[in-house]
Amino acid sequence: MLDAIFKETADHMQKSIDAMKKEFSTLRTGKVTTTIVDDIKVNYYGNPTPLNQVGSVTVMDATTIAISPWEKNLLPEIEKAIQQANLGVNPNNDGDFIKLFFPPMTAEQREQIAKQAKAMAEKAKVAVRNVRKDANNKIKRLEKDKELSEDESKRAQDKIQKLTDEHIAKIDEALKTKETDIKKV
């Protein structure tokens, strides 16, 4: 019974970290990546469709992303979707494809993005702590129902705390790495 609680707890905590890392990928660092445009949806014949499903998205250099639609009539729709996404750049449409030129980030922008990363990490920590709380409640319920002794309950809660500490440390490490990427010029 306890092993199932430990496994489920570790899985949920890891999912919180994975979600944070996915969120991190949308943040801009010193060089652009295609993940910056991952959340953009294009009106494709009345359906909101991810940008990478209506054309190819490639990084041309450290500051430029090129989007080549599979259907040329989608250029205005893609352009509109990019403007609505508010990426901080204007799309340049040359009739065949769209280029996004990202200017080098200022120190102020880097600080702002680092703050966003910290907020994302804090959100992940809260999620991990909520998973800990749920696991501890399950253990206390088992103790209350006399399925666990007081000592077993205490040991199980200590193990849950160790899992929590490990996952919080992983979040801090991922945040430190991301901040280094963001602040690197």
Side-chain angles (χ1 to χ4, degrees), residues 14 19 22 73 85 88 96-97 104 128 137 143-144 154 156 176 180 183:
Q14 187 57 48
K22 186 174 182 337
N73 62 334
D96 287 325
F97 54 94
V128 165
N137 286 343
E143 181 186 352
K144 185 180 172 195
K154 179 79 174 109
K176 193 185 306 177
T180 303
K183 292 182 178 176

Side-chain angles (χ1 to χ4, degrees), residues 9-151:
T9 301
D11 287 348
H12 285 303
M13 288 180 176
Q14 187 57 48
K15 285 179 184 169
S16 297
I17 292 173
D18 294 343
M20 177 196 66
K21 287 181 178 176
K22 186 174 182 337
E23 271 190 297
F24 275 180
S25 71
T26 64
L27 295 176
R28 184 169 169 214
T29 58
K31 57 182 190 286
V32 296
T33 63
T34 59
T35 56
I36 293 172
V37 295
D38 277 356
D39 293 336
I40 296 177
K41 302 271 192 264
V42 177
N43 182 7
Y44 183 66
Y45 298 107
N47 295 321
T49 308
L51 180 60
N52 61 4
Q53 291 181 15
V54 296
S56 66
V57 180
T58 55
V59 174
M60 296 182 71
D61 58 45
T63 61
T64 311
I65 292 178
I67 301 153
S68 178
W70 291 311
E71 298 176 29
K72 297 296 178 214
N73 62 334
L74 286 176
L75 279 168
E77 289 295 336
I78 292 172
E79 203 170 356
K80 193 164 94 179
I82 291 169
Q83 287 170 336
Q84 288 173 343
N86 199 14
L87 298 176
V89 294
N90 283 321
N92 293 319
N93 181 347
D94 73 356
D96 287 325
F97 54 94
I98 294 174
K99 286 186 181 175
L100 303 175
F101 298 105
F102 290 86
M105 292 187 345
T106 64
E108 188 178 295
Q109 286 173 316
R110 290 177 193 280
E111 287 300 317
Q112 200 62 40
I113 291 172
K115 280 183 188 175
Q116 286 178 315
K118 281 181 184 154
M120 291 172 181
E122 196 53 45
K123 195 169 106 182
K125 286 180 184 180
V126 168
V128 165
R129 290 183 192 119
N130 285 337
V131 172
R132 173 188 63 191
K133 181 180 163 198
D134 291 344
N136 283 339
N137 286 343
K138 288 177 185 174
I139 291 167
K140 288 174 187 171
R141 209 171 301 120
L142 288 174
E143 181 186 352
K144 185 180 172 195
D145 296 342
K146 304 287 186 221
E147 293 180 40
L148 287 179
S149 71
E150 196 175 317
D151 288 345

